[in-house]
Amino acid sequence: MLLFLITIVGAMPTYSFAMDNDIHISKPVVSNSEKEVALEAIRVLVNEQGYTRVIIGLAIDFKPEGELTQKEIDEQHEATAETRQRLLAEIKEHFDFALEEYFFETIPYITVNINQKILDFLAQHPLVKTIQLDETIPLSTPSLNMEVIQ
């Protein structure tokens, strides 16, 4: 199996990890104007298409697994799963919309289809750290800092 590890320089926030069992809420280090520009681009697509697919970064502390013990990895997975389940349950409770969610076991991100009402809800939600378009980026894009692992 071929695994692609793509790093887009400057696109991902830096995370920290706490050693206890609590879920720690934190906000991205992004100015309000930068956040509004990103949200506006998503709003435009939602208005044109009725919905769009986004990647939601969960507002939990995170550290790469290579820097953790197995116990810490398990705790981090549990915190990610709990936060993800809470957020998706709240969305489903308030909105009748086919989310078609996909989640990742090892990183605090989920992808979902959203409409305008869900976007507005997520933009203000304390469990949401980031919202970005889920876009296909061709592997031939020269500006990507990319590493291929086999």
Side-chain angles (χ1 to χ4, degrees):
M1 181 170 100
L2 186 63
L3 172 69
F4 292 98
L5 175 63
I6 300 174
T7 304
I8 301 173
V9 177
M12 301 300 284
T14 302
Y15 298 94
S16 60
F17 181 76
M19 299 303 286
D20 57 19
N21 291 327
D22 294 337
I23 296 173
H24 297 275
I25 306 299
S26 55
K27 289 293 181 183
V29 182
V30 179
S31 73
N32 285 337
S33 61
E34 290 173 318
K35 190 174 182 180
E36 281 306 313
V37 168
L39 287 174
E40 189 56 36
I42 297 170
R43 282 189 183 97
V44 167
L45 276 176
V46 170
N47 287 333
E48 290 174 358
Q49 302 172 2
Y51 74 96
T52 194
R53 191 154 188 84
V54 295
I55 301 170
I56 300 169
L58 302 174
I60 63 171
D61 291 331
F62 176 81
K63 192 170 190 179
E65 291 183 359
E67 300 174 14
L68 303 173
T69 66
Q70 186 58 51
K71 181 181 180 214
E72 293 167 333
I73 290 171
D74 294 342
E75 290 171 351
Q76 184 167 278
H77 286 191
E78 185 177 322
T80 300
E82 286 176 13
T83 304
R84 176 182 64 240
Q85 290 165 358
R86 284 176 49 199
L87 180 62
L88 291 173
E90 285 186 39
I91 295 170
K92 291 174 183 178
E93 178 184 325
H94 292 92
F95 304 99
D96 183 25
F97 187 78
L99 295 174
E100 297 182 22
E101 72 263 10
Y102 179 82
F103 59 88
F104 307 91
E105 294 288 334
T106 59
I107 58 173
Y109 291 90
I110 57 176
T111 62
V112 294
N113 288 335
I114 60 166
N115 60 21
Q116 187 63 50
K117 290 181 181 179
I118 297 172
L119 177 60
D120 293 339
F121 177 79
L122 293 172
Q124 302 301 317
H125 202 287
L127 293 179
V128 175
K129 186 176 220 172
T130 59
I131 305 171
Q132 64 189 58
L133 285 174
D134 185 3
E135 300 177 279
T136 302
I137 301 173
L139 292 178
S140 60
T141 303
S143 63
L144 291 179
N145 177 10
M146 190 174 355
E147 178 181 348
V148 178
I149 302 172
Q150 295 186 353

